[in-house]
């Protein structure tokens, strides 16, 4: 009788431990984010910004991975880009691209509940307009938007879709670092292009 109780207790403890173990997708996502952190891409899980189409193709819905590259000695303009047809396009709610004016009025990043400030921005600061993403095929379909400000360039993407077998059947853990290095190289390249034009 004592042996049976001992076996039941051991099975109960092992079952509880197995329930605490993260599933395969969570383990893959953890590996992706830890590699990104090691490469100084500063990953975070954030709520989808209201200017990006998130879950179910609705603005501001769901959660996205935010990967931020901080670049010393670089001053970047405050811009927002969305991905449209595989190209960077200025966020239409942020800037009016239909006008031929040389300067545009955009909402400031600083807002209060009663006052919205605006700032004049030179239209040439949106030099990445119509630039192809040119990212690895395992990352590109999941990229949603990009934000630049001060010395940071931030990319928003569905990093969980990158590790899911249904959305990325070509996923392999050995390709994570290569893909993230390509992402980092592109972020640096885009930042330098914007710095040269500012």
């Amino acid at each position: 009788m004592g042996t049976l109780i001992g076996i039941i207790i051991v099975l109960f403890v092992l079952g509880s431990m197995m329930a605490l173990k993260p599933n395969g997708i969570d383990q893959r996502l953890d590996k992706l984010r830890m590699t990104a952190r090691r490469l100084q891409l500063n990953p975070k899980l954030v709520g989808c910004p209201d200017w990006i189409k998130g879950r179910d193709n609705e603005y501001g819905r769901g959660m996205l991975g935010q990967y931020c590259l901080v670049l010393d000695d670089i001053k970047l303009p405050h811009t927002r880009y969305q991905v449209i047809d595989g190209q960077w396009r200025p966020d239409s709610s942020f800037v009016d691209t239909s006008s031929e004016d040389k300067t545009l009025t955009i909402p400031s990043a600083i807002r209060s509940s009663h006052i919205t400030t605006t700032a004049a921005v030179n239209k040439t600061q949106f030099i990445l307009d119509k630039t192809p993403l040119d990212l690895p095929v395992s990352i590109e379909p999941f990229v949603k938007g990009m934000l630049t400000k001060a010395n940071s360039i931030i990319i928003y993407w569905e990093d969980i879709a990158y590790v899911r077998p249904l959305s990325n059947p070509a996923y392999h853990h050995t390709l994570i670092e290569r893909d993230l290095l390509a992402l980092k190289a592109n972020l640096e390249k885009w930042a330098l292009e914007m710095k040269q034009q500012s």
Side-chain angles (χ1 to χ4, degrees):
M1 182 72 171
T3 307
L4 181 62
I5 292 174
I7 291 172
I8 291 172
I9 290 172
V10 168
L11 289 175
F12 177 76
V13 169
L14 285 175
S16 298
M17 288 173 42
M18 293 303 283
L20 293 175
K21 184 180 176 188
N23 67 28
I25 291 176
D26 289 340
Q27 290 176 359
R28 290 174 169 194
L29 189 57
D30 184 53
K31 181 171 177 53
L32 174 70
R33 291 182 179 158
M34 291 303 289
T35 304
R37 189 168 285 114
R38 185 171 45 82
L39 296 174
Q40 299 175 336
L41 287 172
N42 306 311
K44 275 197 248 182
L45 181 65
V46 297
C48 182
D50 60 0
W51 53 276
I52 293 178
K53 287 184 180 180
R55 189 174 26 159
D56 300 329
N57 216 22
E58 291 183 27
Y59 285 99
R61 186 153 186 229
M63 303 292 281
L64 290 177
Q66 171 188 291
Y67 288 48
C68 174
L69 180 63
V70 177
L71 301 162
D72 296 327
D73 304 323
I74 288 184
K75 177 99 169 97
L76 297 172
H78 185 76
T79 59
R80 297 191 316 207
Y81 291 92
Q82 294 178 340
V83 178
I84 299 174
D85 297 329
Q87 299 176 332
W88 289 122
R89 299 304 316 267
D91 173 27
S92 60
S93 64
F94 189 66
V95 61
D96 180 12
T97 56
S98 64
S99 171
E100 294 301 321
D101 295 339
K102 296 224 186 257
T103 60
L104 302 165
T105 302
I106 59 170
S108 173
I110 302 170
R111 293 183 184 187
S112 70
S113 58
H114 304 296
I115 301 168
T116 301
T117 59
T118 59
V121 170
N122 192 333
K123 203 173 205 179
T124 59
Q125 287 179 335
F126 294 94
I127 63 149
L128 294 183
D129 189 18
K130 298 185 181 176
T131 300
L133 264 61
D134 197 27
L135 291 169
V137 293
S138 53
I139 290 179
E140 189 169 316
F142 310 120
V143 174
K144 299 293 187 175
M146 181 171 60
L147 170 71
T148 63
K149 59 183 179 179
N151 65 341
S152 302
I153 183 165
I154 302 163
I155 195 159
Y156 295 94
W157 68 301
E158 294 175 306
D159 57 352
I160 194 163
Y162 175 85
V163 298
R164 279 194 181 126
L166 291 176
S167 53
N168 185 10
Y171 168 85
H172 196 275
H173 67 89
T174 59
L175 302 177
I176 290 175
E177 187 164 351
R178 183 197 72 182
D179 289 346
L180 289 177
L181 282 170
L183 174 63
K184 183 178 180 179
N186 274 298
L187 290 174
E188 290 170 343
K189 178 183 79 171
W190 294 326
L192 287 174
E193 286 177 20
M194 284 187 270
K195 178 192 173 192
Q196 290 170 357
Q197 296 294 323
S198 60

